[in-house]
Protein backbone atom coordinates (compact mmCIF):
# COMPACT_ATOMS: atom_id res chain seq x y z
CA UNK A 1 0.00 0.00 0.00
CA UNK A 2 2.75 2.45 0.92
CA UNK A 3 4.61 1.80 -2.31
CA UNK A 4 1.44 2.43 -4.33
CA UNK A 5 0.89 5.77 -2.58
CA UNK A 6 4.54 6.70 -3.08
CA UNK A 7 4.38 5.87 -6.78
CA UNK A 8 1.17 7.85 -7.20
CA UNK A 9 2.73 10.83 -5.43
CA UNK A 10 5.81 10.70 -7.65
CA UNK A 11 3.64 10.45 -10.75
CA UNK A 12 1.57 13.48 -9.75
CA UNK A 13 4.71 15.45 -8.89
CA UNK A 14 6.04 14.80 -12.40
CA UNK A 15 2.74 15.87 -13.94
CA UNK A 16 2.69 19.02 -11.80
CA UNK A 17 6.08 20.11 -13.10
CA UNK A 18 5.50 19.18 -16.72
CA UNK A 19 1.81 20.00 -17.07
CA UNK A 20 0.62 22.65 -14.57
CA UNK A 21 -2.74 22.97 -16.37
CA UNK A 22 -3.42 19.27 -15.72
CA UNK A 23 -2.75 19.77 -12.01
CA UNK A 24 -5.05 22.80 -11.97
CA UNK A 25 -7.81 20.68 -13.50
CA UNK A 26 -7.20 17.91 -10.94
CA UNK A 27 -7.37 20.48 -8.13
CA UNK A 28 -10.70 21.78 -9.46
CA UNK A 29 -12.07 18.23 -9.59
CA UNK A 30 -10.93 17.58 -6.02
CA UNK A 31 -12.59 20.82 -4.86
CA UNK A 32 -15.81 19.87 -6.63
CA UNK A 33 -15.74 16.42 -4.99
CA UNK A 34 -15.21 17.89 -1.50
CA UNK A 35 -16.66 21.45 -1.53
CA UNK A 36 -16.72 21.82 2.27
CA UNK A 37 -12.96 21.50 2.67
CA UNK A 38 -10.97 24.67 3.27
CA UNK A 39 -8.84 25.71 0.30
CA UNK A 40 -5.16 26.40 0.77
CA UNK A 41 -3.46 29.55 -0.43
CA UNK A 42 -1.62 28.87 -3.70
CA UNK A 43 2.15 28.92 -3.61
CA UNK A 44 3.69 32.12 -4.92
CA UNK A 45 6.81 32.50 -7.03
CA UNK A 46 9.61 34.35 -5.21
CA UNK A 47 10.49 37.74 -6.73
CA UNK A 48 13.50 38.10 -9.01
CA UNK A 49 16.56 39.58 -7.30
CA UNK A 50 19.21 40.50 -9.87
CA UNK A 51 21.98 41.02 -7.30
CA UNK A 52 21.70 37.59 -5.68
CA UNK A 53 20.93 35.75 -8.95
CA UNK A 54 23.71 37.28 -11.08
CA UNK A 55 25.40 34.94 -13.56
CA UNK A 56 28.55 36.27 -15.18
CA UNK A 57 28.92 36.39 -18.95
CA UNK A 58 32.18 38.37 -18.85
CA UNK A 59 35.86 37.37 -18.57
CA UNK A 60 36.33 33.59 -18.53
CA UNK A 61 32.56 33.21 -19.07
CA UNK A 62 32.35 35.43 -22.16
CA UNK A 63 30.46 33.95 -25.12
CA UNK A 64 32.55 31.82 -27.48
CA UNK A 65 30.64 30.19 -30.36
CA UNK A 66 31.07 26.44 -30.82
CA UNK A 67 33.85 25.34 -33.13
CA UNK A 68 33.64 22.82 -35.96
CA UNK A 69 34.49 19.87 -33.68
CA UNK A 70 32.41 21.03 -30.67
CA UNK A 71 29.21 19.10 -29.98
CA UNK A 72 25.90 20.72 -29.05
CA UNK A 73 22.61 19.05 -28.24
CA UNK A 74 18.90 19.98 -28.28
CA UNK A 75 18.95 21.73 -24.86
CA UNK A 76 19.50 25.49 -25.26
CA UNK A 77 20.42 25.86 -21.57
CA UNK A 78 23.22 23.31 -21.70
CA UNK A 79 24.42 24.76 -25.00
CA UNK A 80 24.56 28.26 -23.50
CA UNK A 81 26.51 26.98 -20.49
CA UNK A 82 29.02 25.27 -22.81
CA UNK A 83 29.30 28.44 -24.95
CA UNK A 84 30.07 30.43 -21.77
CA UNK A 85 32.56 27.85 -20.40
CA UNK A 86 30.49 26.81 -17.40
CA UNK A 87 30.86 23.32 -18.89
CA UNK A 88 33.55 21.94 -21.20
CA UNK A 89 33.40 23.96 -24.41
CA UNK A 90 33.68 20.87 -26.60
CA UNK A 91 30.26 19.73 -25.30
CA UNK A 92 31.53 16.46 -23.82
CA UNK A 93 31.32 16.35 -20.03
CA UNK A 94 31.10 13.97 -17.10
CA UNK A 95 28.11 13.92 -14.79
CA UNK A 96 30.15 15.80 -12.17
CA UNK A 97 31.01 18.49 -14.74
CA UNK A 98 27.33 18.85 -15.68
CA UNK A 99 26.33 19.19 -12.02
CA UNK A 100 29.09 21.69 -11.20
CA UNK A 101 28.46 23.69 -14.38
CA UNK A 102 24.72 23.98 -13.81
CA UNK A 103 25.25 25.02 -10.19
CA UNK A 104 27.66 27.79 -11.24
CA UNK A 105 25.69 28.81 -14.32
CA UNK A 106 22.25 29.14 -12.75
Amino acid sequence: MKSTVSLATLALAGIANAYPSVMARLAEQAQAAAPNQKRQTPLSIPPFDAASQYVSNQGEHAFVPPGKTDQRGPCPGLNAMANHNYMPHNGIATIDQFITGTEKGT
Side-chain angles (χ1 to χ4, degrees), residues 6 9 14 16 31 64 66 73 77 99 106:
S6 297
T9 303
Q31 182 64 27
V64 178
I99 292 170
T106 56

Side-chain angles (χ1 to χ4, degrees), residues 21-90:
S21 61
V22 172
M23 284 307 294
R25 195 173 332 121
L26 289 173
E28 289 173 4
Q29 290 172 356
Q31 182 64 27
N36 295 331
Q37 289 183 346
K38 187 175 180 181
R39 293 188 65 190
Q40 294 180 344
T41 305
L43 298 175
S44 61
I45 298 172
F48 175 72
D49 180 19
S52 69
Q53 296 173 327
Y54 177 75
V55 177
S56 176
N57 62 358
Q58 306 297 316
E60 77 172 291
H61 297 295
F63 174 78
V64 178
K68 291 181 180 181
T69 60
D70 294 335
Q71 296 181 18
R72 295 295 183 266
C75 179
L78 292 175
N79 293 338
M81 287 189 274
N83 292 339
H84 287 276
N85 291 314
Y86 283 99
M87 294 185 185
H89 196 265
N90 66 2

